[in-house]
Amino acid sequence: MSVYSLSGYRRDSLLLVSVIELTVMAVHAAHRCMYLHRLVTACKSIQTHSRNRDVFEKLVIPCNRTFLTASVRSNENDGQSKDSLKLTPKQTQKQDLLLRRKRPLSPLERISSLLPQDVLSPEVMHLREQEQHEEDPQRCDPERVTDEGDLETHSGPERGEEPKAAAFHHAEGHVYPSLLGENLLTFGELLIAEHRRKKRVEFRKMFQLQKGAILQSSWGTIKHDDLVGQQAGKFLKTGRGAPIFFRRASLEDYVLYMKRGPAIAYPKDAANMLMMMDVTEGDCVLESGSGSGAMSLFLSRAVGSRGSVLSIEVRTDHHRRSVKNYERWRTSWALRRGQEWPNNVEFLNADLGTASSLLAGRGFHSVALDLIDPHLVLPTVLPHLHPGAVCAIYLANITQVIDLLEGLRCSALPVLCERIIEVPVRQWLVAPALQKDGQYCTRKAPNLGEDTSSEEESSADGEALFEPGFGNVPYIARPHPEQMSHTAFLVKLRKFVR
């Protein structure tokens, strides 16, 4: 369908006057088609103007895209009865929906409609809400009418229908299919917001969904209320048009982005300590040096609901911080999974070196120590460690490792130092090679003296515009410019029986 528009102020005014005149005409199809024919005649040989395209298309749709034929017939048969132009009930319903448009917007209202909602004043937002309440709630937007004349509707199953095999979530008028055990986002959950640009993370933040709160960023804002009822792992655009990816925070994310007191045991080191201690479900583990609660969370998941963890911290502020982080994660997990995180960690504020009574009558399958001077508490801990079990120690610098080994030599404790390791993690960038124009680079075979003129001619004809096949694109691979450096030394001690 050709779209005609006006160029220049004078012709633009003529078109707008014609559009307003057509809007207030009677519902009769003959009169409307006659004025459409007049509008097309006035718009001939005029350049395309995108501003009037939508208005013209909306006026063409009710006439079933036959406005020229209808106008000619109305001129030839001026005295023809109205019954000859009867429309079907479906077309009549379309016309009624398209005629119920809003009044013409003023220049100020047009400008305010282009602005994002987060920059509008409360008075303007209040006026918009009043206008929405005054409108008919069953009014359908003409832009949502498809080419076949059907309206897009989302309705649930009727009464008496058998439930389908797949489950559905209903949220804010939308229907989302869900997998078994999947839950939609709700208030109180911990989410990760990410914005990537050119395959690099420019923005990443962990936050908790709260009613009425707003996520602030340099790329725009998003209301927390807009996230509730959505599926996890979804992109949403801010008021500035920047896509933000939202997903639920994993335990690794939570440990890295939670509020800290002292330094945490990083996930890469905690995973190796769990392997050293061979922690399994149902174990009873002793931890000294709760810190911010990172290692306590990893141990809690490893021992499961049948196991237990005793975490001792000498500093009161660190003790409070670890308890708060632990409870916050348990609350978010319950909202996410619909079941409680095991409450299997007991936090105590005491000095392990002088509080041997806390361990009286207890035995442990493994021990994790994160202390400045771990060799001072080993005489208290080792009697409660099972024979052949492992004590894993987290030390920040090599001088602490030397002091530990010297303490073991002087005290003659029944332990063997099996390993002292450092866990490096090197992140890499691997991506297909691109040219400056955005096209993929292609591997070029060496010239062995064969005639390549035909290949050059074919590439000049446009065959190079197609994406190359599998194995024809070279890749670039290099270490990531931002690397995690040294975090800790891990010492593995094993108890033996004399």
Side-chain angles (χ1 to χ4, degrees), residues 305-351:
S305 57
R306 296 188 300 167
S308 63
V309 178
L310 177 61
S311 182
I312 301 176
E313 173 60 50
V314 64
R315 291 186 53 169
T316 305
D317 55 343
H318 293 177
H319 170 73
R320 287 197 299 263
R321 174 50 52 194
S322 60
V323 173
K324 288 181 180 179
N325 288 338
Y326 179 74
E327 294 298 332
R328 187 184 182 193
W329 172 256
R330 292 185 69 242
T331 302
S332 176
W333 177 267
L335 295 172
R336 170 183 177 179
R337 292 296 184 94
Q339 57 185 0
E340 294 290 334
W341 179 275
N343 189 14
N344 52 10
V345 180
E346 180 184 2
F347 292 94
L348 296 178
N349 184 16
D351 187 0

Side-chain angles (χ1 to χ4, degrees), residues 427-497:
Q427 188 177 355
W428 281 70
L429 287 175
V430 181
L434 297 176
Q435 301 176 3
K436 290 185 177 180
D437 57 358
Q439 298 293 331
Y440 288 107
C441 298
T442 56
R443 287 194 174 99
K444 297 181 180 180
N447 189 358
L448 302 179
E450 299 178 356
D451 186 13
T452 59
S453 58
S454 59
E455 296 180 358
E456 294 177 356
E457 292 177 358
S458 62
S459 62
D461 293 338
E463 293 186 3
L465 298 177
F466 295 97
E467 290 193 2
F470 178 81
N472 294 328
V473 176
Y475 274 67
I476 57 174
R478 64 176 183 270
H480 197 280
E482 299 175 0
Q483 298 287 348
M484 179 181 293
S485 60
H486 167 78
T487 54
F489 294 100
L490 305 182
V491 181
K492 182 180 180 180
L493 304 179
R494 189 181 298 275
K495 180 182 178 180
F496 64 89
V497 179

Side-chain angles (χ1 to χ4, degrees), residues 160-180:
E161 275 189 69
E162 293 296 329
K164 304 296 182 182
F168 291 87
H169 284 296
H170 300 262
E172 298 182 0
H174 299 281
V175 181
Y176 297 100
S178 64
L179 301 175
L180 182 62

Side-chain angles (χ1 to χ4, degrees), residues 27-83:
V27 185
H28 306 297
H31 293 285
R32 298 179 62 210
C33 294
M34 179 177 63
Y35 277 90
L36 282 172
H37 178 64
R38 183 186 302 174
L39 176 62
V40 173
T41 306
C43 296
K44 286 182 179 180
S45 69
I46 299 173
Q47 299 179 356
T48 303
H49 198 283
S50 60
R51 183 177 60 184
N52 301 314
R53 183 182 305 166
D54 295 337
V55 178
F56 189 81
E57 290 180 353
K58 293 174 187 176
L59 293 171
V60 173
I61 292 176
C63 290
N64 202 14
R65 295 177 176 85
T66 59
F67 58 93
L68 291 176
T69 306
S71 64
V72 172
R73 289 179 180 176
S74 62
N75 291 333
E76 293 177 354
N77 305 322
D78 193 17
Q80 189 177 4
S81 63
K82 300 175 183 179
D83 297 335

